[in-house]
Amino acid sequence: MGKTVAVVSDRPRPGDVPERGAAPPSPPGPRRPGRTLASLGAGVAIEWYDWSVYTTFAVFFAGQFFAGSGSSAVLKTLAVFAAGFVARPIGGFVLGWLADRRGRKFAMMWSISLAAAGSVGIGVIPTASSIGVLAPILLVSARLLQGLGTGGEVPTAQTYLAETAPPHRRGLWSSAMYISISLAVLFGTILGAVLSAALTEQQMSSFGWRIPFLIGGALGLVILVLRSSLPETDVFEKTRTHCGHSIWKEICRHPALQLRVVCFCVGGTVVYYVWAVTAPAFAISERGIDPTSALWAGSIATVLFMIALPFWGALSDRIGRRPVLLMCFGALVILMFPLNWMIRDDAWQLFVAMSTALIFVAGLASITPAVLAEMFPTKIRAAGTRVPYSIAAALFGGTAPYLLSLFDQLHLPAAFPLYAIGLMAVSAAAVYLMPETSGISLDDEENGS
């Protein structure tokens, strides 16, 4: 491995005897953790805002790009949402490769640029009444651009966060990722509620829906400047001298890890996209709930989700990742049918169902960045996690909103809950078979990876 690198661990090891009078070792971590978390979190938030605000406003702009009745146009618009996931594995591999080759910071600069460009593109596309079939083509193109950026953002940011966190608090720090993502979803939902209250339905369909996309593009430029001051992680710097390896060959050496990531992610990504992102739009388009009331109900439920995140993360640092994940998957399997049935015709029903589901979804989301980072060695940590994660998100998360609405319109209310339960069972089995990773070092030279 070359020269030996000494790594300070915050946990005593068997046989360690501290020198008399010596101060206890300080846990590793960034020199300015507050600034690091703020810069990283703001970038993740804006990128996820650009990605998820599409579903929040789909019900308002669907008719501007697609012909047909309200529900038919919304289904086509949600199909474009799913199409954006096609680009995520590509962006995940390319930007993950750059993160493992050129650095985490370098890849994150590119990911925010692509996402911002896609958001601006959606905000300025002329409607189908102006340019005909070219309008939906441009919409798909902008969505694919967003997919490229988002495909590289999450794994690289997750890797950066995990590599800078103290090992004994990695679960707690990991929760900051989805706190940022939730702030983005919350901001988009509140913006939707404010705009739908301030503008008429005709104004929302005419120009109001463009406002959030243009805001996202502008904020992306601000985050690009903030990220330019982020330092590279120490763990990556220690392996920079070994960057001559073939990342693709290294990834192919770990097929079992790739399969484990896919199986681990399929259940969580479906329930997250349904309950944290799509539920308000579903309640509006399929249940006829007042848009403003539904969006406010979703906003309050998202706040509860954010509050739960750090508690689950801290709990995983104390009792382990596996018990937390198995507990939450089990609860969601039991609750999927009653919560889906609960959303009928009133905003309070949406609020209760969303809040209950999101309390347990928070347990999955809070520690996913830590779990994925702890699976892989440093030299392929970003690309190795991103490709299978993106595939799982594309095949199952990206199609979840579409399938939820489709099964409902086909009068098959039991189909989607059964589908989600099956995927969560696969994920729970993967968690049961994986080793406990809480508190391990991410330094390959210490691990002997």
Side-chain angles (χ1 to χ4, degrees):
M1 293 293 296
K3 67 176 183 178
T4 301
V5 178
V7 178
V8 179
S9 174
D10 59 305
R11 290 184 175 180
R13 301 177 184 175
D16 285 353
V17 179
E19 296 180 11
R20 182 172 298 177
S26 300
R31 289 180 289 274
R32 296 181 178 178
R35 182 176 177 181
T36 297
L37 285 174
S39 297
L40 187 67
V44 172
I46 294 306
E47 185 136 5
W48 203 259
Y49 164 84
D50 289 341
W51 178 256
S52 63
V53 79
Y54 183 97
T55 56
T56 302
F57 288 85
V59 68
F60 298 112
F61 67 79
Q64 300 294 321
F65 293 95
F66 300 101
S69 63
S71 296
S72 174
V74 169
L75 270 180
K76 294 173 184 176
T77 308
L78 291 177
V80 176
F81 175 78
F85 281 82
V86 174
R88 285 183 62 168
I90 300 173
F93 178 75
V94 173
L95 292 176
W97 177 84
L98 287 174
D100 288 330
R101 180 71 60 140
R102 297 288 301 275
R104 318 314 192 196
K105 172 184 171 180
F106 181 84
M108 288 193 297
M109 297 282 283
W110 270 102
S111 68
I112 194 67
S113 300
L114 290 169
S119 188
V120 172
I122 294 176
V124 300
I125 294 173
T127 63
S129 61
S130 300
I131 59 174
V133 72
L134 187 59
I137 292 175
L138 291 175
L139 179 65
V140 172
S141 300
R143 191 64 185 167
L144 292 175
L145 195 62
Q146 284 186 320
L148 290 173
T150 306
E153 170 68 17
V154 176
T156 308
Q158 286 176 345
T159 299
Y160 190 101
L161 183 65
E163 289 181 348
T164 55
H168 73 296
R169 300 183 70 188
R170 192 178 296 130
L172 177 60
W173 278 49
S174 173
S175 68
M177 174 70 66
Y178 276 88
I179 290 175
S180 299
I181 290 174
S182 301
L183 282 171
V185 175
L186 178 62
F187 177 64
T189 306
I190 291 178
L191 182 59
V194 171
L195 289 175
S196 65
L199 302 176
T200 66
E201 185 174 347
Q202 183 179 2
Q203 289 173 326
M204 281 294 294
S205 298
S206 177
F207 66 88
W209 64 269
R210 296 184 184 274
I211 296 174
F213 293 104
L214 297 176
I215 289 176
L219 290 176
L221 296 178
V222 175
I223 301 305
L224 188 62
V225 175
L226 289 177
R227 282 194 168 175
S228 64
S229 63
L230 279 176
E232 189 52 80
T233 70
D234 292 338
V235 173
F236 174 79
E237 290 291 0
K238 291 174 184 176
T239 62
R240 187 184 288 274
T241 56
H242 303 291
C243 283
H245 63 277
S246 168
I247 292 176
W248 182 250
K249 289 182 180 179
E250 289 292 333
I251 290 176
C252 291
R253 287 179 54 199
H254 300 84
L257 287 182
Q258 309 295 310
L259 180 60
R260 183 188 298 171
V261 172
V262 172
C263 293
F264 168 65
C265 291
V266 292
T269 191
V270 166
V271 293
Y272 176 81
Y273 273 99
V274 168
W275 290 111
V277 179
T278 309
F282 172 81
I284 295 169
S285 63
E286 305 301 333
R287 293 291 183 265
I289 296 177
D290 173 67
T292 303
S293 300
L295 291 170
W296 279 117
S299 299
I300 300 172
T302 301
V303 171
L304 297 178
F305 173 71
M306 292 167 55
I307 293 173
L309 285 166
F311 286 98
W312 286 113
L315 182 63
S316 78
D317 288 326
R318 293 182 62 87
I319 69 174
R321 316 289 188 227
R322 293 172 71 248
V324 168
L325 293 170
L326 290 173
M327 187 189 316
C328 293
F329 275 126
L332 287 166
V333 165
I334 294 171
L335 292 170
M336 184 57 63
F337 266 105
L339 293 181
N340 190 67
W341 173 85
M342 184 178 292
I343 303 176
R344 312 301 295 174
D345 56 6
D346 205 308
W348 74 265
Q349 300 161 347
L350 171 66
F351 167 72
V352 173
M354 276 190 72
S355 299
T356 304
L358 289 179
I359 291 296
F360 295 102
V361 174
L364 307 177
S366 64
I367 59 176
T368 290
V371 172
L372 293 179
E374 289 163 352
M375 286 185 188
F376 286 83
T378 302
K379 54 191 175 183
I380 60 167
R381 185 166 290 133
T385 59
R386 188 62 234 169
V387 174
Y389 179 90
S390 296
I391 290 173
L395 293 179
F396 302 98
T399 57
Y402 179 85
L403 291 177
L404 178 64
S405 293
L406 178 63
F407 288 143
D408 192 75
Q409 291 182 27
L410 293 175
H411 305 290
L412 298 171
F416 190 85
L418 285 173
Y419 171 73
I421 287 171
L423 293 178
M424 285 190 287
V426 171
S427 294
V431 171
Y432 182 79
L433 295 173
M434 72 173 55
E436 179 58 61
T437 57
S438 175
I440 69 168
S441 171
L442 296 185
D443 191 306
D444 295 344
E445 296 189 76
E446 182 179 270
N447 289 341
S449 303

mmCIF file of all heavy atoms in Angstrom, residues 145-161:
data_model
loop_
_atom_site.group_PDB
_atom_site.id
_atom_site.type_symbol
_atom_site.label_atom_id
_atom_site.label_comp_id
_atom_site.label_asym_id
_atom_site.label_seq_id
_atom_site.Cartn_x
_atom_site.Cartn_y
_atom_site.Cartn_z
ATOM 1 N N LEU A 145 -31.184 16.607 -18.526
ATOM 2 C CA LEU A 145 -30.052 17.391 -18.043
ATOM 3 C C LEU A 145 -30.054 17.435 -16.516
ATOM 4 O O LEU A 145 -29.014 17.291 -15.870
ATOM 5 C CB LEU A 145 -30.109 18.805 -18.623
ATOM 6 C CG LEU A 145 -28.842 19.663 -18.526
ATOM 7 C CD1 LEU A 145 -27.698 19.011 -19.291
ATOM 8 C CD2 LEU A 145 -29.111 21.056 -19.076
ATOM 9 N N GLN A 146 -31.236 17.637 -15.945
ATOM 10 C CA GLN A 146 -31.352 17.595 -14.491
ATOM 11 C C GLN A 146 -30.957 16.223 -13.955
ATOM 12 O O GLN A 146 -30.320 16.113 -12.896
ATOM 13 C CB GLN A 146 -32.774 17.915 -14.060
ATOM 14 C CG GLN A 146 -33.140 19.389 -14.133
ATOM 15 C CD GLN A 146 -34.523 19.645 -13.555
ATOM 16 O OE1 GLN A 146 -35.448 18.861 -13.766
ATOM 17 N NE2 GLN A 146 -34.668 20.736 -12.834
ATOM 18 N N GLY A 147 -31.350 15.174 -14.682
ATOM 19 C CA GLY A 147 -31.016 13.825 -14.247
ATOM 20 C C GLY A 147 -29.521 13.580 -14.206
ATOM 21 O O GLY A 147 -29.012 12.910 -13.302
ATOM 22 N N LEU A 148 -28.797 14.115 -15.192
ATOM 23 C CA LEU A 148 -27.339 13.976 -15.199
ATOM 24 C C LEU A 148 -26.730 14.613 -13.958
ATOM 25 O O LEU A 148 -25.850 14.042 -13.312
ATOM 26 C CB LEU A 148 -26.755 14.618 -16.459
ATOM 27 C CG LEU A 148 -27.024 13.910 -17.786
ATOM 28 C CD1 LEU A 148 -26.516 14.763 -18.946
ATOM 29 C CD2 LEU A 148 -26.348 12.544 -17.809
ATOM 30 N N GLY A 149 -27.204 15.830 -13.635
ATOM 31 C CA GLY A 149 -26.664 16.521 -12.470
ATOM 32 C C GLY A 149 -27.023 15.842 -11.163
ATOM 33 O O GLY A 149 -26.169 15.616 -10.306
ATOM 34 N N THR A 150 -28.291 15.489 -11.010
ATOM 35 C CA THR A 150 -28.740 14.851 -9.774
ATOM 36 C C THR A 150 -28.119 13.469 -9.624
ATOM 37 O O THR A 150 -27.843 13.025 -8.509
ATOM 38 C CB THR A 150 -30.271 14.737 -9.762
ATOM 39 O OG1 THR A 150 -30.835 16.030 -9.993
ATOM 40 C CG2 THR A 150 -30.772 14.214 -8.429
ATOM 41 N N GLY A 151 -27.885 12.788 -10.748
ATOM 42 C CA GLY A 151 -27.277 11.467 -10.693
ATOM 43 C C GLY A 151 -25.905 11.471 -10.063
ATOM 44 O O GLY A 151 -25.497 10.491 -9.427
ATOM 45 N N GLY A 152 -25.176 12.565 -10.227
ATOM 46 C CA GLY A 152 -23.848 12.649 -9.628
ATOM 47 C C GLY A 152 -23.820 13.353 -8.297
ATOM 48 O O GLY A 152 -22.884 13.195 -7.510
ATOM 49 N N GLU A 153 -24.841 14.156 -8.016
ATOM 50 C CA GLU A 153 -24.835 14.974 -6.797
ATOM 51 C C GLU A 153 -24.951 14.142 -5.534
ATOM 52 O O GLU A 153 -24.135 14.264 -4.614
ATOM 53 C CB GLU A 153 -25.997 15.981 -6.850
ATOM 54 C CG GLU A 153 -26.239 16.713 -5.546
ATOM 55 C CD GLU A 153 -25.140 17.661 -5.168
ATOM 56 O OE1 GLU A 153 -24.331 18.017 -6.045
ATOM 57 O OE2 GLU A 153 -25.072 18.064 -4.001
ATOM 58 N N VAL A 154 -25.984 13.315 -5.454
ATOM 59 C CA VAL A 154 -26.270 12.629 -4.201
ATOM 60 C C VAL A 154 -25.125 11.717 -3.763
ATOM 61 O O VAL A 154 -24.684 11.784 -2.615
ATOM 62 C CB VAL A 154 -27.597 11.850 -4.300
ATOM 63 C CG1 VAL A 154 -27.845 11.052 -3.034
ATOM 64 C CG2 VAL A 154 -28.750 12.823 -4.536
ATOM 65 N N PRO A 155 -24.564 10.834 -4.644
ATOM 66 C CA PRO A 155 -23.512 9.954 -4.152
ATOM 67 C C PRO A 155 -22.254 10.710 -3.766
ATOM 68 O O PRO A 155 -21.580 10.372 -2.811
ATOM 69 C CB PRO A 155 -23.233 9.022 -5.322
ATOM 70 C CG PRO A 155 -23.593 9.814 -6.517
ATOM 71 C CD PRO A 155 -24.764 10.656 -6.082
ATOM 72 N N THR A 156 -21.920 11.751 -4.554
ATOM 73 C CA THR A 156 -20.705 12.507 -4.264
ATOM 74 C C THR A 156 -20.856 13.277 -2.962
ATOM 75 O O THR A 156 -19.945 13.302 -2.125
ATOM 76 C CB THR A 156 -20.394 13.483 -5.415
ATOM 77 O OG1 THR A 156 -20.398 12.758 -6.647
ATOM 78 C CG2 THR A 156 -19.032 14.111 -5.224
ATOM 79 N N ALA A 157 -22.020 13.918 -2.776
ATOM 80 C CA ALA A 157 -22.258 14.647 -1.538
ATOM 81 C C ALA A 157 -22.329 13.686 -0.356
ATOM 82 O O ALA A 157 -21.822 13.977 0.732
ATOM 83 C CB ALA A 157 -23.553 15.457 -1.649
ATOM 84 N N GLN A 158 -22.958 12.522 -0.553
ATOM 85 C CA GLN A 158 -23.001 11.518 0.508
ATOM 86 C C GLN A 158 -21.595 11.077 0.883
ATOM 87 O O GLN A 158 -21.264 10.929 2.070
ATOM 88 C CB GLN A 158 -23.820 10.311 0.051
ATOM 89 C CG GLN A 158 -25.316 10.549 0.005
ATOM 90 C CD GLN A 158 -26.071 9.346 -0.546
ATOM 91 O OE1 GLN A 158 -25.490 8.450 -1.150
ATOM 92 N NE2 GLN A 158 -27.376 9.324 -0.341
ATOM 93 N N THR A 159 -20.770 10.839 -0.123
ATOM 94 C CA THR A 159 -19.397 10.414 0.121
ATOM 95 C C THR A 159 -18.621 11.495 0.856
ATOM 96 O O THR A 159 -17.897 11.224 1.822
ATOM 97 C CB THR A 159 -18.708 10.078 -1.214
ATOM 98 O OG1 THR A 159 -19.409 9.007 -1.850
ATOM 99 C CG2 THR A 159 -17.269 9.660 -0.991
ATOM 100 N N TYR A 160 -18.753 12.731 0.398
ATOM 101 C CA TYR A 160 -18.060 13.854 1.039
ATOM 102 C C TYR A 160 -18.472 13.955 2.500
ATOM 103 O O TYR A 160 -17.626 14.105 3.400
ATOM 104 C CB TYR A 160 -18.383 15.153 0.298
ATOM 105 C CG TYR A 160 -17.550 16.337 0.721
ATOM 106 C CD1 TYR A 160 -16.462 16.753 -0.050
ATOM 107 C CD2 TYR A 160 -17.841 17.046 1.883
ATOM 108 C CE1 TYR A 160 -15.693 17.843 0.334
ATOM 109 C CE2 TYR A 160 -17.076 18.123 2.284
ATOM 110 C CZ TYR A 160 -16.006 18.532 1.497
ATOM 111 O OH TYR A 160 -15.246 19.595 1.894
ATOM 112 N N LEU A 161 -19.771 13.875 2.756
ATOM 113 C CA LEU A 161 -20.279 14.002 4.121
ATOM 114 C C LEU A 161 -19.761 12.874 5.001
ATOM 115 O O LEU A 161 -19.311 13.111 6.133
ATOM 116 C CB LEU A 161 -21.809 13.993 4.099
ATOM 117 C CG LEU A 161 -22.521 14.185 5.435
ATOM 118 C CD1 LEU A 161 -22.238 15.571 5.992
ATOM 119 C CD2 LEU A 161 -24.022 13.985 5.273
#
